[in-house]
Amino acid sequence: MAGTDTGEEPDAAAEFRAFFDRHYAELARLAHLLTGETDAADDLAADAMLALWHRWDRVRAADHPAAYARGVVANLVRSRIRGTVRERRRIAAFWDRRPEHTEDPDVPAVVDVRTALRALPFRKRACVVLRHAFDLSERDTALALGVSVGTVKSQTAKGMAELQKLLGGRAATELASGRR
């Protein structure tokens, strides 16, 4: 029995290490694009890898382990965003402050792509980022997010339309074509 344990364990560990080396940077980049926060992205990618290690038998048996991993990151980001929103609401209720209001801000001068992406709801942002920044197919994006291809199509189109409103037509077109 001892031989079986030592024979299987290093193989699984070696497979996971290879998966980690191959995909960690991509998962951190995905988390960064979804959150806009470098430190949080690194933490989320590490948390995702830990979760993947705990379920490594299931992950390595999956048809698309990288898509499974992207889905784990997306779910962790979603949970983080929800927690942040709840925390901000609690703080706002505690302090009961009204936000400062600026009349007629010069939006084109202050809005960049990251800010515009953060303005999108999570699913639209995730679809736009996976489709255009990661150049995933609609099918791979659907696999990563656990939604249908039709949802990816509609959420990407709606997200790009919102980005076009925020950034202007030319900037959104450049973003979609990968020139920005």
Side-chain angles (χ1 to χ4, degrees):
M1 258 200 231
T4 304
D5 289 340
T6 58
E8 290 176 5
E9 198 60 34
D11 290 341
E15 283 180 23
F16 179 77
R17 180 65 183 173
F19 182 86
F20 182 96
D21 290 343
R22 196 169 42 254
H23 295 288
Y24 180 81
E26 172 192 345
L27 296 177
R29 184 171 152 233
L30 171 61
H32 181 261
L33 287 169
L34 293 176
T35 64
E37 302 172 20
T38 304
D39 292 336
D42 199 41
D43 290 345
L44 288 163
D47 289 347
M49 283 296 186
L50 180 62
L52 293 168
W53 172 246
H54 287 298
R55 295 183 216 120
W56 186 240
D57 288 338
R58 189 179 326 159
V59 175
R60 71 197 247 204
D63 290 336
H64 304 284
Y68 187 100
R70 286 189 289 268
V72 169
V73 169
N75 287 333
L76 288 171
V77 169
R78 182 180 302 120
S79 295
R80 180 180 173 84
I81 290 169
R82 287 178 179 157
T84 301
V85 167
R86 281 192 300 272
E87 182 68 18
R88 286 182 183 163
R89 285 180 182 153
R90 283 192 291 268
I91 291 170
F94 180 76
W95 289 104
D96 194 33
R97 283 195 203 173
R98 297 207 166 138
E100 294 180 20
H101 181 68
T102 305
E103 294 295 322
D104 298 324
D106 185 11
V107 175
V110 296
V111 175
D112 66 3
V113 173
R114 280 190 224 139
T115 302
L117 282 170
R118 280 193 297 261
L120 295 178
F122 176 78
R123 188 175 284 175
K124 288 178 188 171
R125 180 176 357 139
C127 287
V128 168
V129 166
L130 289 171
R131 291 282 293 127
H132 296 291
F134 279 79
D135 202 28
L136 292 183
S137 68
E138 290 166 341
R139 183 178 174 274
D140 289 341
T141 301
L143 280 170
L145 298 176
V147 298
S148 70
V149 171
T151 298
V152 170
K153 289 179 181 181
S154 69
Q155 293 296 296
T156 302
K158 290 175 183 177
M160 289 304 294
E162 288 182 35
L163 285 175
Q164 192 167 17
K165 286 179 189 173
L166 292 168
L167 298 171
R170 183 170 176 227
T173 302
E174 288 175 5
L175 173 68
S177 66
R179 284 184 269 157
R180 197 159 210 200

